[in-house]
Structures are given as C-alpha cells and as structure tokens.
C-alpha cells in the first residue's frame, strides 16, 4: 500500500477515512453473562446487550446454539424483515424487547434438553458480525418434606429415629440440616437419581423422654434454586403412661362431714381411656358412688370410711395407679362458726337494774377463717394457766417442807415441867441394907433422868441476844424467855404449879391431864433445844 500512498493526495485522504471507520467498529461489542442457571420447569432469560458505534448500522441480531453436530440458529431479529424462531423453540422462545441495542430472549419451561452453550450474534454495516457466548445450566429445585420415624416415640425407650428430612432430586445436591435444642445426632445419606439429580436424607436420632413432649425440631434446606432457606418445623410426639394425681382430699375429713369427693386426674399420651376406684383394705363402703374418675360420698362421713383407696388409670401405653390413705377424724369440738357479741347503738338494751341485754341481732358470727386463731389462743391460754397452777403447787409444797427442826424425827420425851416434881426424900439415896420396892427404884431412876435433861436444856439454850433462824417475832421470843425463867429457875419449886398426883399413863410414859396445863398467856408455850417454841397442846 505504500506505493499507492505516493500516488497523490486523494489516495492519502481515502486511506485516512478507512482507518476512522475501523476505529469506530472496534468500539462496538456484544455483552452477555458468562453463565445462566435455569430452574427445571421454569423460565430463563438470556441477556444480550448491543453497543453499536454511531457510524454503524445494525442489520440483524440472532441467537445460535452449539450442538455436538454443529451450530444451529434459534432466533433471528431483522429490523427490516422482523423476527424468526426455529421450529424446535416455537412457543417457548421470544425476544423480550427487540431493538438495535437489545437482543435478549426468554426461554420458557426449561428442561434438561436446554442445557448447552448459546451465542448472541450482531451484524452491522459495513463492519459485519460481532458475537458473545453464554453457558446455560439447568438447576433442579429439590422437593423437601419431613417424615416421622418408623416407630413411635415412647418415654424411656431406646435411641430411635425421631424424623427424617428429605431434599429429593436436587441438582446440585441440596444442603440439609436439623435445628434442635435436644441432645440428639444427625445422619446424612445421599442417593443419586436419573438426569444427574441427587436426593439428600438427614435422619435425627434421639432417646425420647416425656419432658420434651410438644417441642419442635426444624429441618433447614439450602439450594441455589431456592431464593431463601427452606424451613420445615416438626413437632415431637412422645407417648407415655398416665401420670396420676388425686385432688379433693385435704386431710381434714371428720365424722359427719358431707359433700366430699375425690377426683383422679391423669396426664397421658395418648389420652387415658380407663378409670377405676377400688378400696384396698376392705370393701367399698355403702353410700359411695363412682362417676367417671370421681369418687363421690353421697352421705356424711362415717368412722369406717377410713382406709386406703386406689385410683387406676390406663391408656394404650400402660396401666398406672395412685393410692390415697384417708383418715376420718373425730368431729371438731367447737362449732365451725363462733359468734361474738358486738354492741351496736340500735341493739343495746339496759334493764331497770342497769344490766345490758343482748338480742340475737347483736351476735355477729366470727369469720370461719379466724376459727384456727381462736382455738389456738384458747389452747395456749389453758396451757399457760396450767403451768401457773403447777408452779404455785410446787412452791407451796416446798414452803411446807422447809422449816427449822424436825419434830417427828426426835424421840418423844414428855416435858420435864409437866411431870410430878420429885420430893426430897425420893432424890436421896436409900440407906445401906434397906430394901426398896420396885416402884421406888423406878421413880428414882426417872428423877435422875429428868434432872439431867433439865441441866442440858439450860446449858444449850439461847442467850438474850441470840435468836433462832426460823423468824419468830419479838413477842414470841420474850414469851420464850419468860418460860425459861419460870420453868427453869431453881428458886421456884416445881410442885408449886403442878399437883403431885401423877397423870394417866400412856404408852408407858406419864402424862398430865388436860386440866393441869396452864391456860394463861405465859404458860401456853414450851421451848425446845433448837430455840423454837411450840404450844403445849400441840
């Protein structure tokens, strides 16, 4: 071409124009995605954007499919002659909005036969054809469902399959998992199907227990054909034997109480269908009726109603029972309603003697809720009063037993001043060689003993400033001193106060008669060795 450029200015101008046209053509292009995923049975859109230079003219746009035997035309758009679709795609393929800048087509009801490589071609003048290719793949959306295990879930059973989550015939294989707060485990299994699809099964294994009855497991499936995660909840159904509870017996059943009953309630899965009341220790008493799950006492309670009653409940899993021991107590001693007088201005009456009269309207019943407080207060007051009486009795007995001197442990010897005073000749010893009678000897021995006791009494007596510890008054002490001076003074003869005739003999001892006692105020007391004073008659 260089020799031609040297031929003249016209040749050079023509060459520059060709270069400019080539530059405009290089700037035009066809834009398509590298790959498109189509969902089996649904529509797919194949995008194709055309950028044509201002100096070029779009003459035709078309789509071709690459097959093992070669390429074939699928659809053609010509601005002058219109649209043309191949027979294989008639009714399933169309241009979305054909123009000089858009050659996008839509393929409906995509099948596995539509998988392949598609090419968008654009023909311009004066440049010619420009093209770009995209790959179409078909995704199979999985069919997701959850199935229960082959065996029922029974409380306390072995580990078993609770449920299975299945993503069936997916392309590519779906991602399946279980969401749960139970301590179970999952097992995944993949199964290949026709046309390159795969089924995914995930089983959930767990040891059933009744405490999670009604809880929910969730199957989660993820797949490119799904716009979001697919979630399926599954509710647990754990079967268990009846759990029995008896209501109605409050422990306060007593003789004469009426309108009482016991009801047997059961929590079971499946629901209980059998209820039965029996008595274990004897026959069911008369006047008792069984109505479904309720034991009715149609009469007031008797003493022989005490015993052990059993409620039996059964469902399809098992038979369970619950025993109730009933104790019929004595009737309450206090009435169930206590009335207390309450004075009101309209119901207070006073008789002519100033006494207040109450009518029936002034007595208002005490609420039954305060009966326990009243009974408790009465019992507490009675116990407190009994304690006080016991303490007073103990103190009284201790006071009676606490005194100075024990008059009953000493040998009794008659008072010396109450006996007959011995004469002078009786105190003298008899002459030698003379014989005395037995009576004289006894009288002589008695006189010697009395003199010895009297001397001991004076030697151990209290002084004027010493007082006994038993708490006598001053007047009694003065009287005691007078008695000492009266009966113990050697200057006063003993026979001046008492006659010489001896009194009657009692138990071998001589006593004076009652008329020998001095009834005067100074002669009615007798002092003892310990300083105490006691009446003569006592």
């Amino acid at each position: 071409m260089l020799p031609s450029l040297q031929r003249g200015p016209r040749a050079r101008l023509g060459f520059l124009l060709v270069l400019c046209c080539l530059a405009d053509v290089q700037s035009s292009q066809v834009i398509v995605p590298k790959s498109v995923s189509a969902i089996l049975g649904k529509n797919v859109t194949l995008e194709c954007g055309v950028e044509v230079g201002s100096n070029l003219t779009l003459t035709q746009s078309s789509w071709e499919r690459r097959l093992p035997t070669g390429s074939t035309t699928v659809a053609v758009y010509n601005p002058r002659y219109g649209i043309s679709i191949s027979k294989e795609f008639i009714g399933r393929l169309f241009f979305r909005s054909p123009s000089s800048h858009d050659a996008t087509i839509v393929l409906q009801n995509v099948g596995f036969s539509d998988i392949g490589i598609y090419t968008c071609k654009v023909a311009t003048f004066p440049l010619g054809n420009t093209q770009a290719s995209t790959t179409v793949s078909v995704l199979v959306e999985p069919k997701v469902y959850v199935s229960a295990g082959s065996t029922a879930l029974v409380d306390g059973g072995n580990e078993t399959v609770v449920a299975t989550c299945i993503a069936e015939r997916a392309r590519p294989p779906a991602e399946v998992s279980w969401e749960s707060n139970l301590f179970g485990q999952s097992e995944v299994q993949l199964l290949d199907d026709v046309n390159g699809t795969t089924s995914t099964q995930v089983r959930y294994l767990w040891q059933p227990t009744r405490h999670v009855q009604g809880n929910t497991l969730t199957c989660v499936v993820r797949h490119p054909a799904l716009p979001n995660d697919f979630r399926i909840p599954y509710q647990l159904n754990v079967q268990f034997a009846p759990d029995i509870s008896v209501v109605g017996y409050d422990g306060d059943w007593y003789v004469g109480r009426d309108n009482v009953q016991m009801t047997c309630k059961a929590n079971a899965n499946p629901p209980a269908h059998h209820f039965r009341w029996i008595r274990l220790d004897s026959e069911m008493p008369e006047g008792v009726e069984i109505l479904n799950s309720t034991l009715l006492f149609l009469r007031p309670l008797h003493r022989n109603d005490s015993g052990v009653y059993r409620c039996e409940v059964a469902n399809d899993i098992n038979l369970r029972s619950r025993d109730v021991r009933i104790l019929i107590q004595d009737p309450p001693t206090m009435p169930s309603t206590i009335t207390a007088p309450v004075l009101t201005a309209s119901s207070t009456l006073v008789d002519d003697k100033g006494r207040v009269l109450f009518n029936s309207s002034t007595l208002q019943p005490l609420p039954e809720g305060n009966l326990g407080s009243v009974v408790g207060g009465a019992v507490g007051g009675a116990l407190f009063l009994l304690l006080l009486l016991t303490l007073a009795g103990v103190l009284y007995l201790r006071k009676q037993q606490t005194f100075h001197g024990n008059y009953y442990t000493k040998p009794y010897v008659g008072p010396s001043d109450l006996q007959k005073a011995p004469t002078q000749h009786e105190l003298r010893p008899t002459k030698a060689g003379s014989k005395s009678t037995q009576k004289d000897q006894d009288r002589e021995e008695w006189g010697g003993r009395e003199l010895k006791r009297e001397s001991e009494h004076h030697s151990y007596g209290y002084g004027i400033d010493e007082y006994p510890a038993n708490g006598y008054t001053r007047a009694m002490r003065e009287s005691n001193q007078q008695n000492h001076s009266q009966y113990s003074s050697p200057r006063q003869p003993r026979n001046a106060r008492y006659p010489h005739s001896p009194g009657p003999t009692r138990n071998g001892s001589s006593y004076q008669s009652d008329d020998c006692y001095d009834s005067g105020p100074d002669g009615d007391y007798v002092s003892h060795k310990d300083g105490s004073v006691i009446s003569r008659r006592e």
Side-chain angles (χ1 to χ4, degrees):
M1 294 180 63
L2 291 177
S4 62
L5 291 177
Q6 296 176 359
R7 290 179 183 180
R10 291 182 179 181
R12 291 193 297 268
L13 180 61
F15 179 75
L16 292 176
L17 290 174
V18 172
L19 291 178
C20 291
C21 291
L22 291 177
D24 292 338
V25 172
Q26 292 297 329
S27 64
S28 299
Q29 58 182 349
V30 176
I31 302 174
V32 296
K34 292 183 179 180
S35 62
V36 176
S37 295
I39 299 176
L40 182 66
K42 296 184 178 181
N43 301 339
V44 62
T45 300
L46 303 181
E47 299 282 349
C48 182
V50 180
E51 294 183 0
V52 179
S54 58
N55 295 327
L56 297 179
T57 302
L58 178 65
T59 59
Q60 182 176 290
S61 60
S62 63
W63 280 90
E64 294 180 357
R65 180 184 180 188
R66 186 183 303 174
L67 297 175
T69 57
S71 297
T72 180
T73 302
V74 174
V76 176
Y77 166 70
N78 189 295
R80 184 175 180 181
Y81 298 102
I83 298 174
S84 176
I85 306 297
S86 65
K87 296 180 180 181
E88 182 182 358
F89 292 95
I90 293 177
R92 292 198 311 123
L93 190 148
F94 59 89
F95 284 92
R96 185 178 62 183
S97 55
S99 65
S100 59
H101 301 285
D102 189 2
T104 302
I105 61 174
V106 177
L107 181 61
Q108 298 177 336
N109 193 15
V110 177
F112 289 110
S113 59
D114 296 329
I115 299 174
I117 300 175
Y118 291 80
T119 303
C120 180
K121 289 185 177 182
V122 176
T124 60
F125 179 80
L127 181 59
N129 296 332
T130 304
Q131 64 183 20
S133 299
T134 182
T135 302
V136 176
S137 61
V138 176
L139 302 179
V140 179
E141 181 179 354
K143 180 180 180 182
V144 182
Y145 59 93
V146 174
S147 63
S150 58
T151 59
L153 301 180
V154 181
D155 178 39
N158 297 328
E159 186 178 61
T160 183
V161 177
V162 177
T164 302
C165 185
I166 302 174
E168 191 176 52
R169 295 180 180 180
R171 183 174 179 175
E175 180 183 351
V176 183
S177 63
W178 282 100
E179 288 184 355
S180 172
N181 55 359
L182 304 179
F183 296 98
Q185 57 182 350
S186 299
E187 290 183 354
V188 181
Q189 184 178 9
L190 299 178
L191 301 176
D192 294 333
D193 297 322
V194 295
N195 300 324
T197 60
T198 303
S199 296
T200 304
Q201 300 181 359
V202 180
R203 300 184 300 173
Y204 190 81
L205 286 79
W206 172 68
Q207 185 175 4
T209 174
R210 63 187 304 169
H211 303 293
V212 296
Q213 164 64 16
N215 286 16
T216 302
L217 302 175
T218 303
C219 173
V220 181
V221 178
R222 298 179 179 88
H223 192 267
L226 301 175
N228 298 306
D229 294 346
F230 194 81
R231 309 175 72 88
I232 302 178
Y234 178 78
Q235 189 174 15
L236 296 176
N237 182 24
V238 181
Q239 299 182 1
F240 53 88
D243 184 10
I244 307 173
S245 62
V246 177
V247 297
Y249 178 64
D250 55 2
D252 189 23
W253 286 18
Y254 53 84
V255 176
R257 182 175 176 179
D258 55 358
N259 297 328
V260 296
Q261 63 183 16
M262 291 188 299
T263 302
C264 188
K265 295 186 176 181
N267 180 23
N269 183 31
H273 55 74
H274 170 78
F275 289 89
R276 180 189 177 194
W277 276 101
I278 60 175
R279 183 170 176 176
L280 300 181
D281 52 350
S282 65
E283 296 293 333
M284 188 70 71
E286 297 182 357
V288 178
E289 181 180 352
I290 301 175
L291 182 61
N292 295 331
S293 62
T294 303
L295 186 67
L296 298 172
F297 288 82
L298 304 179
R299 51 163 177 79
L301 295 176
H302 299 162
R303 177 71 67 180
N304 58 1
D305 291 334
S306 297
V308 180
Y309 296 80
R310 170 173 292 181
C311 173
E312 293 182 351
V313 183
N315 65 349
D316 295 339
I317 302 301
N318 202 348
L319 172 68
R320 295 289 177 87
S321 63
R322 173 62 63 90
D323 296 344
V324 180
R325 182 178 296 275
I326 297 178
L327 177 62
I328 307 301
Q329 304 176 2
D330 295 332
T333 56
M334 298 183 63
S336 59
T337 302
I338 301 177
T339 60
V342 179
L343 296 179
T344 59
S346 61
S347 61
T348 303
L349 300 177
V350 180
D351 60 1
D352 54 355
K353 295 183 180 181
R355 295 176 297 183
V356 179
L357 302 179
F358 299 97
N359 54 19
S360 60
S361 61
T362 61
L363 300 179
Q364 297 182 359
L366 188 67
E368 293 183 2
N370 296 334
L371 178 59
S373 301
V374 174
V375 174
V379 174
L383 294 177
F384 182 74
L385 181 59
L386 180 61
L387 180 61
L388 290 180
L389 293 177
T390 304
L391 183 60
V394 172
L395 294 178
Y396 178 78
L397 293 177
R398 180 173 294 181
K399 183 177 181 182
Q400 289 292 93
Q401 295 178 0
T402 305
F403 59 86
H404 296 277
N406 192 343
Y407 305 112
Y408 300 98
T409 59
K410 298 179 180 180
Y412 178 79
V413 178
S416 60
D417 52 347
L418 297 181
Q419 307 300 325
K420 178 181 178 181
T423 58
Q424 295 295 330
H425 68 275
E426 290 176 346
L427 297 177
R428 297 190 186 98
T430 58
K431 294 181 181 180
S434 61
K435 296 181 180 180
S436 61
T437 61
Q438 182 67 28
K439 181 178 182 180
D440 295 337
Q441 292 177 359
D442 295 336
R443 186 177 299 174
E444 183 178 6
E445 291 176 0
W446 176 86
R449 289 195 302 269
E450 290 297 310
L451 290 176
K452 182 177 181 181
R453 290 174 181 172
E454 185 176 2
S455 62
E456 291 175 357
H457 177 73
H458 284 286
S459 62
Y460 291 98
Y462 287 94
I464 298 175
D465 297 331
E466 297 177 356
Y467 301 102
N470 55 1
Y472 289 99
T473 62
R474 182 175 182 181
M476 296 178 68
R477 290 196 299 270
E478 291 177 356
S479 176
N480 185 18
Q481 293 176 4
Q482 291 177 6
N483 291 335
H484 275 283
S485 62
Q486 179 178 0
Y487 298 112
S488 302
S489 177
R491 292 177 297 179
Q492 184 177 1
R494 300 177 63 87
N495 55 5
R497 189 174 183 84
Y498 302 102
H500 292 280
S501 60
T505 303
R506 301 176 184 176
N507 297 331
S509 301
S510 300
Y511 289 86
Q512 299 296 336
S513 60
D514 294 337
D515 55 351
C516 296
Y517 287 96
D518 188 2
S519 60
D522 298 333
D524 195 27
Y525 300 97
V526 176
S527 62
H528 286 259
K529 294 179 181 181
D530 57 356
S532 61
V533 179
I534 192 170
S535 174
R536 294 177 184 275
R537 296 184 183 275
E538 292 177 355

